[in-house]
Amino acid sequence: YDCLDDETIAALPLHRVQEAGLLFMWVINSKYRVALNMLREWGYTLAGDITWVKMTTRGFLGPGNGHYLQHSKETCLV
């Protein structure tokens, strides 16, 4: 599936959506540092995270995304 590039996401006018509140951002391991920088630039503070462990229909860890390793999880930054 298609994804937005980092620059397009960073340019989102979040201030038009909310003045205060929570932001939930899904991020793969290879983009974790980029996402943390975006949060800081937007004026958010990391409160925590949610982890989605990917499983196959047979109950095995599923393949994932990453530059060096195929991670079986994705993280949602809050």
Side-chain angles (χ1 to χ4, degrees), residues 1-14 25-26 28 31 34 38 42:
Y1 54 85
D2 292 331
C3 296
L4 298 175
D5 59 53
D6 298 340
E7 293 78 21
T8 301
I9 295 170
L12 291 172
L14 295 182
M25 175 191 273
W26 283 102
I28 59 174
K31 295 291 184 170
V34 172
M38 284 183 196
W42 289 329

Side-chain angles (χ1 to χ4, degrees), residues 2-3 5-6 18 24 30-32 34-37 40 46 48 51-54 56 61-63 68 71-72:
D2 292 331
C3 296
D5 59 53
D6 298 340
Q18 68 177 356
F24 293 80
S30 63
K31 295 291 184 170
Y32 208 90
V34 172
L36 291 175
N37 287 335
R40 188 179 66 248
L46 182 64
T51 301
W52 168 33
V53 178
K54 298 178 183 182
T56 67
L61 290 177
Y68 303 106
H71 304 284
S72 295

